[in-house]
Amino acid sequence: MKVTTKDLAQICGVSRTTVVRALNGTGRISPETKQRILDTAERLGYEPDLAARSLVLGRSMMIGVVVVDLRNLYFPKIVDAIGRRVLEDDYILNITIHEDNKEAEKKLIRMLTGHRVDGLILNPINKGEAFYEMMKNVKVPYCVLGIDEFKGCAGVGVDEFAAGVDAAEYILSKGYRNVAFVVPPLYDADGVLNLGHHRRLKGFVSVMEKSGYRYHVIYDRENEPGYLQKALAVIRESVREGKAAFLCSGAMFAMDIVGAMRQHGYYAPADFGIMAFDGIEEYQNWSPSLASLDNHVEQMGYAAGDLIIRMIRGERTDNRVVIPHNIVEGQTL
């Protein structure tokens, strides 16, 4: 039979109100009494009635997370860190994915708020005034993964322009004079810029233009060869012009290039150099290890979880949380 707060009150010889205070960590109660109640609850396998607690607290104790997918290691790392942070305050995550579908993303946001989550964490693919107006009507606190995504919105992320600058300068310091920036999703299906990738690109271009060295921008466009074919063309041309390097706006793209080029007999770093954003440990442990710009994905997720908790509490917060980045040397440059 399920143990109730009434049972705990009778066993511990206290009122039900005292039991509720001990379990929720609220109100005035002596440390000894609180510990006795908690020890008894654990010994008897007490499980809280979350629905009842939500009614008492006026909260669902649930935070919604909306991301593209969980195939790219970037998102599982972030979501895992968010989950660890919010669990510290007894919140649980409702994780949803929209598979790069803008209408699905908006539907999920409406569904989560309809289920009365206490807060939302987004990595939005929707942009523009219509979406911004929709978000103004969201009645729960929310923040985005990325800074300056749209006006007045709390965000956590890296200074992508500065990161692009640092990555480009690092590649040039290794002696490369022919560099390609690889960013397949620079534009979405509607032709709208992906702001985070675009800021990285702008930082890269600012360095390359000042240097006077040759550079390329590789991204997917309709009725053109895919980015892997374009990367292959750059390598073949570099046989005459000096070894090329790729700066990939995502570690997944870098690993795709490494794998595809092997099929054509080209290997990093012997035939080309390569570096990527998103310093995810699993990619750095490949052989050869991947040079990367570490934007501290787990730190970003933890910070986003912390920010949304503080927003839910109504605390004053810094709406622009910038996560530091750094270069991680690897064997591919």
Side-chain angles (χ1 to χ4, degrees), residues 80-96:
D80 178 70
I82 294 171
R84 283 188 281 108
R85 170 59 189 94
V86 302
L87 186 60
E88 293 173 9
D89 282 71
D90 296 326
Y91 278 85
I92 60 175
L93 293 186
N94 188 330
I95 304 164
T96 60

Side-chain angles (χ1 to χ4, degrees), residues 178-184 214-221 224-239 241-250 252-268 271-275:
N178 180 15
V179 188
F181 190 95
V182 181
V183 52
R214 187 174 184 188
Y215 71 92
H216 320 259
V217 180
I218 295 176
Y219 61 97
D220 282 341
R221 289 193 285 193
E224 286 190 3
Y227 77 94
L228 294 177
Q229 291 173 275
K230 293 176 183 177
L232 177 61
V234 169
I235 291 175
R236 286 173 170 167
E237 290 174 6
S238 70
V239 172
E241 302 170 357
K243 189 165 63 173
F246 298 97
L247 174 57
C248 298
S249 191
M252 187 168 63
F253 309 135
M255 301 320 298
D256 284 346
I257 287 178
V258 169
M261 296 311 108
R262 281 177 180 169
Q263 296 179 15
H264 294 277
Y266 297 108
Y267 298 85
D271 303 303
F272 63 93
I274 192 162
M275 179 180 181

Side-chain angles (χ1 to χ4, degrees), residues 300-316:
M300 189 187 309
Y302 192 90
D306 186 68
L307 177 60
I308 199 66
I309 290 290
R310 290 188 289 116
M311 292 174 71
I312 290 169
R313 290 175 180 163
E315 298 177 8
R316 292 177 63 88

Side-chain angles (χ1 to χ4, degrees), residues 72-321:
N72 184 338
L73 285 178
Y74 178 86
F75 290 116
K77 290 284 186 182
I78 284 183
V79 170
D80 178 70
I82 294 171
R84 283 188 281 108
R85 170 59 189 94
V86 302
L87 186 60
E88 293 173 9
D89 282 71
D90 296 326
Y91 278 85
I92 60 175
L93 293 186
N94 188 330
I95 304 164
T96 60
I97 57 177
H98 53 74
E99 297 289 354
D100 210 23
N101 183 308
K102 290 186 175 182
E103 290 306 312
E105 180 181 58
K106 290 187 284 189
K107 181 178 179 180
L108 288 171
I109 292 170
R110 289 191 290 264
M111 289 175 65
L112 287 169
T113 53
H115 282 285
R116 300 188 181 281
V117 295
D118 295 329
L120 288 170
I121 299 176
L122 315 170
N123 183 237
I125 59 171
N126 277 282
K127 300 290 187 296
E129 290 302 321
F131 181 65
Y132 304 156
E133 288 300 317
M134 170 187 156
M135 294 307 298
K136 287 180 183 178
N137 294 320
V138 171
K139 303 303 182 185
V140 300
Y142 64 90
C143 68
V144 301
L145 300 170
I147 55 175
D148 304 326
E149 290 292 323
F150 50 91
K151 293 179 182 178
C153 179
V156 179
V158 168
D159 183 336
E160 302 290 9
F161 180 88
V165 167
D166 290 347
E169 289 179 343
Y170 180 72
I171 290 174
L172 292 182
S173 75
K174 293 295 185 179
Y176 291 92
R177 299 296 180 257
N178 180 15
V179 188
F181 190 95
V182 181
V183 52
L186 181 58
Y187 296 91
D188 64 20
D190 299 331
V192 177
L193 274 172
N194 183 307
L195 296 180
H197 289 299
H198 186 247
R199 291 189 183 110
R200 293 175 179 178
L201 174 59
K202 286 180 67 177
F204 165 82
V205 169
S206 72
V207 171
M208 296 307 299
E209 288 187 341
K210 288 178 184 176
S211 74
Y213 298 125
R214 187 174 184 188
Y215 71 92
H216 320 259
V217 180
I218 295 176
Y219 61 97
D220 282 341
R221 289 193 285 193
E222 285 190 56
N223 304 318
E224 286 190 3
Y227 77 94
L228 294 177
Q229 291 173 275
K230 293 176 183 177
L232 177 61
V234 169
I235 291 175
R236 286 173 170 167
E237 290 174 6
S238 70
V239 172
R240 301 187 302 271
E241 302 170 357
K243 189 165 63 173
F246 298 97
L247 174 57
C248 298
S249 191
M252 187 168 63
F253 309 135
M255 301 320 298
D256 284 346
I257 287 178
V258 169
M261 296 311 108
R262 281 177 180 169
Q263 296 179 15
H264 294 277
Y266 297 108
Y267 298 85
D271 303 303
F272 63 93
I274 192 162
M275 179 180 181
F277 288 81
D278 308 340
I280 295 173
E281 186 177 354
E282 283 80 356
Y283 293 126
Q284 293 167 0
N285 289 336
W286 278 49
S287 181
S289 60
L290 179 64
S292 61
L293 186 136
D294 192 348
N295 47 12
H296 299 284
V297 172
E298 292 187 359
Q299 185 178 341
M300 189 187 309
Y302 192 90
D306 186 68
L307 177 60
I308 199 66
I309 290 290
R310 290 188 289 116
M311 292 174 71
I312 290 169
R313 290 175 180 163
E315 298 177 8
R316 292 177 63 88
T317 60
D318 184 349
N319 280 357
R320 192 174 185 272
V321 181

Side-chain angles (χ1 to χ4, degrees), residues 9-38:
Q10 290 177 342
I11 294 168
C12 295
V14 297
S15 69
R16 188 167 176 270
T17 299
T18 300
V19 169
V20 171
R21 286 176 178 174
L23 295 173
N24 292 334
T26 59
R28 299 180 62 181
I29 180 174
S30 72
E32 296 80 8
T33 301
K34 179 179 179 180
Q35 192 59 53
R36 179 158 51 89
I37 293 169
L38 294 177

